[in-house]
Amino acid sequence: MQKNSVKVSMAVVRRLPKYYRYLGDLIQNGVMRISSKELGKLMGLTASQIRQDLNCFGGFGQQGYGYNVEELQKEIGRILGLNQTYNCVIVGAGNLGQAIANYEGFRREGFALSAMFDVNPRLIGNTIRDIKIYDIQDLGTYVLENDIQLGIICVPKEQSQGVADTMMENGIKAIWNFAPADVQVRDNVVIENVAISESLYTLTYLMNEPQLEI
Amino acid sequence: MQKNSVKVSMAVVRRLPKYYRYLGDLIQNGVMRISSKELGKLMGLTASQIRQDLNCFGGFGQQGYGYNVEELQKEIGRILGLNQTYNCVIVGAGNLGQAIANYEGFRREGFALSAMFDVNPRLIGNTIRDIKIYDIQDLGTYVLENDIQLGIICVPKEQSQGVADTMMENGIKAIWNFAPADVQVRDNVVIENVAISESLYTLTYLMNEPQLEI
DNA sequence: TAGATTGTTAATCGATTAACAATC
DNA sequence: TAGATTGTTAATCGATTAACAATC
């Protein structure tokens, strides 16, 4: 997939989804081809950086022409693993869990949500978009028996590590954690700790940033 | 606030909220002091990096002792602008908007949410945690008349730029955008485009990452 | 005081940008 | 063909790490 198995830096990896999204928008707008210069202008990156990033994975462009938008998006999707299906569960069926369950882009990209879990007896047994909410007691068994690869944590921070542990004991491969506490994972399990409020605090920092005296 | 008005890099700024959160947890656990070494171990950073980061803003530690946890958290909160109150509105009262409205950490840190807006007539007039949902038609007037500084966008991507424009025409200072399309802002307005799915796609990348051959 | 740990400078490492030959 | 634009190497820039004198 990537050139002679050299590790790609996280800086590059974190830009890939953004490329994927912008290219998707271009496809929607009927754009067939694009140069690194044009794409850079659109995304706020340099043309040089875009070519460097893409060439970590291969030469997808053509001299004198640029990149075929549809082809490039497909390639990046494949690099990101979006050509596969992932069996998912959401733990925590509050507003955030429901928001994710309702997001249609989620299933479109191959995330097969099959169950949600909660502690609240008033939620257990309900369904959200045909997805049943189960008792969190049954999480471990469910993950194991249904070959769940991806667990999404939307519980309060006090419960997040416990939920992650249950998932890992039953063979989960990846955890997407929205609780505002970093979850620790064992080897061979990958984690994204989202901590949404961090981007809010970055924003308030920027609101108050002292202007430079030159 | 920061040493002789030198611009602090975004790499540093984006770590500040994480320091703030970890220090808050330490306070909750009754920890009074901490060294850069211990904090680094906890957060997965080097001691050196922590000292470098903090010294962008001043010398908050003491040789031979380390840092006073409570004092340091307070200082970082002040640097992030969390000692102030921000008048906020949320536009889009779906699950995600409601999740943010319900998040108690939000008001605790000085974010004064006074109204929500939506296009859906079935939502308009309802309240969420005492916050009334208004017709999105009234957004501009409301932002102007109530001195709203921070706008939170939780609408579909097709509407996000329009909502942002209305906010900016009426004097908003900052936009926290959850729509999966980057919103463009004028000078003097700060923006955080969150694009939650990007961290999910990073996760699937990591799940499929080829193991290094050495 | 001795030990610990900071603040800060210097060294290293990695990421971004620039440049240009290759080529469509 | 001439023009455009890639892929890739080299140069630059910035961020991280290491080292250590200062000092609590």
Side-chain angles (χ1 to χ4, degrees):
Chain A
M1 183 171 283
Q2 69 210 37
K3 286 182 161 179
N4 51 306
S5 295
V6 172
K7 190 167 172 69
V8 175
S9 81
M10 278 306 286
V12 174
V13 173
R14 291 198 182 281
R15 277 192 294 272
L16 293 178
K18 197 177 173 188
Y19 290 127
Y20 186 74
R21 174 160 59 86
Y22 271 84
L23 291 166
D25 292 346
L26 288 169
I27 291 170
Q28 274 201 324
N29 294 330
V31 178
M32 306 287 280
R33 60 181 261 197
I34 196 158
S35 67
S36 57
K37 192 179 166 188
E38 291 170 299
L39 187 59
K41 198 176 170 187
L42 216 56
M43 295 181 61
L45 302 173
T46 64
S48 209
Q49 181 165 60
I50 289 174
R51 295 203 301 278
Q52 284 278 25
D53 284 355
L54 298 180
N55 280 91
C56 292
F57 303 99
F60 304 125
Q62 201 169 80
Q63 282 98 329
Y65 176 87
Y67 300 88
N68 178 305
V69 174
E70 206 162 328
E71 195 185 287
L72 183 58
Q73 206 233 13
K74 204 170 162 185
E75 283 290 348
I76 294 177
R78 202 177 48 73
I79 293 163
L80 288 171
L82 299 178
N83 54 334
Q84 299 169 46
T85 298
Y86 300 93
N87 296 329
C88 311
V89 296
I90 296 176
V91 183
N95 288 120
L96 184 59
Q98 290 188 32
I100 294 168
N102 280 315
Y103 181 56
E104 78 282 0
F106 190 60
R107 62 197 74 205
R108 191 180 58 230
E109 295 293 355
F111 297 92
L113 177 65
S114 65
M116 298 178 75
F117 295 86
D118 208 290
V119 283
N120 187 340
R122 277 186 292 189
L123 289 175
I124 295 168
N126 287 0
T127 62
I128 293 169
R129 287 229 183 178
D130 294 334
I131 306 300
K132 197 167 171 189
I133 303 174
Y134 296 94
D135 190 321
I136 200 167
Q137 296 281 344
D138 303 328
L139 174 63
T141 313
Y142 190 95
V143 167
L144 189 65
E145 291 181 353
N146 295 277
D147 189 30
I148 301 300
Q149 289 121 16
L150 172 63
I152 304 167
I153 299 182
C154 302
V155 300
K157 67 172 178 173
E158 292 75 16
Q159 278 79 57
S160 56
Q161 185 65 55
V163 168
D165 291 342
T166 301
M167 287 172 169
M168 290 188 285
E169 281 157 19
N170 293 282
I172 211 116
K173 289 282 166 285
I175 295 175
W176 197 23
N177 175 38
F178 286 90
D182 296 344
V183 147
Q184 306 298 321
V185 292
R186 53 179 77 167
D187 280 357
N188 303 319
V189 175
V190 292
I191 176 77
E192 277 285 305
N193 289 299
V194 178
I196 287 177
S197 66
E198 291 184 6
S199 87
L200 176 62
Y201 299 168
T202 301
L203 198 56
T204 54
Y205 174 88
L206 295 172
M207 287 174 81
N208 294 284
E209 199 177 27
Q211 298 304 310
L212 293 186
E213 309 161 20
I214 307 176
Chain B
M1 183 171 283
Q2 70 212 37
K3 284 180 162 180
N4 51 306
S5 294
V6 173
K7 191 166 173 67
V8 175
S9 80
M10 277 307 283
V12 174
V13 172
R14 291 198 182 281
R15 279 192 293 271
L16 293 178
K18 197 175 173 188
Y19 290 128
Y20 186 74
R21 174 160 58 88
Y22 270 86
L23 290 166
D25 291 345
L26 287 169
I27 291 170
Q28 274 201 323
N29 293 330
V31 178
M32 306 288 281
R33 60 180 262 195
I34 195 156
S35 67
S36 57
K37 192 178 166 189
E38 292 170 297
L39 186 59
K41 198 174 171 188
L42 218 54
M43 294 180 62
L45 303 173
T46 64
S48 210
Q49 181 166 59
I50 289 174
R51 294 203 301 279
Q52 285 278 26
D53 284 354
L54 298 180
N55 280 91
C56 292
F57 303 97
F60 304 126
Q62 201 168 79
Q63 283 98 329
Y65 175 88
Y67 300 86
N68 177 305
V69 174
E70 206 162 328
E71 194 185 286
L72 183 58
Q73 206 234 12
K74 204 169 162 186
E75 284 290 348
I76 293 176
R78 202 176 49 72
I79 292 164
L80 288 171
L82 299 179
N83 54 332
Q84 300 169 44
T85 298
Y86 300 94
N87 297 328
C88 312
V89 296
I90 296 175
V91 183
N95 288 121
L96 184 59
Q98 289 188 33
I100 294 168
N102 280 316
Y103 181 56
E104 78 282 359
F106 191 60
R107 59 198 76 205
R108 190 180 59 229
E109 295 293 355
F111 297 92
L113 178 65
S114 64
M116 297 178 76
F117 295 85
D118 208 290
V119 283
N120 186 341
R122 277 186 293 190
L123 288 173
I124 295 168
N126 288 0
T127 62
I128 292 167
R129 286 229 183 176
D130 294 335
I131 305 299
K132 198 167 169 188
I133 303 174
Y134 296 94
D135 191 320
I136 201 166
Q137 296 281 344
D138 303 328
L139 174 63
T141 313
Y142 190 94
V143 167
L144 189 64
E145 290 182 353
N146 295 277
D147 189 29
I148 302 300
Q149 290 122 15
L150 172 63
I152 303 167
I153 299 182
C154 302
V155 301
K157 68 172 177 173
E158 291 75 16
Q159 278 79 56
S160 56
Q161 186 64 56
V163 168
D165 290 342
T166 302
M167 288 173 169
M168 290 188 286
E169 281 158 19
N170 292 282
I172 212 115
K173 289 281 167 285
I175 294 175
W176 197 23
N177 174 38
F178 286 90
D182 295 344
V183 146
Q184 305 299 320
V185 293
R186 52 178 77 168
D187 280 357
N188 303 321
V189 175
V190 292
I191 177 77
E192 277 285 307
N193 290 301
V194 177
I196 286 177
S197 66
E198 291 185 5
S199 87
L200 177 61
Y201 299 168
T202 301
L203 198 56
T204 54
Y205 175 88
L206 295 172
M207 288 174 81
N208 293 286
E209 199 177 29
Q211 298 304 308
L212 293 186
E213 309 162 19
I214 306 176

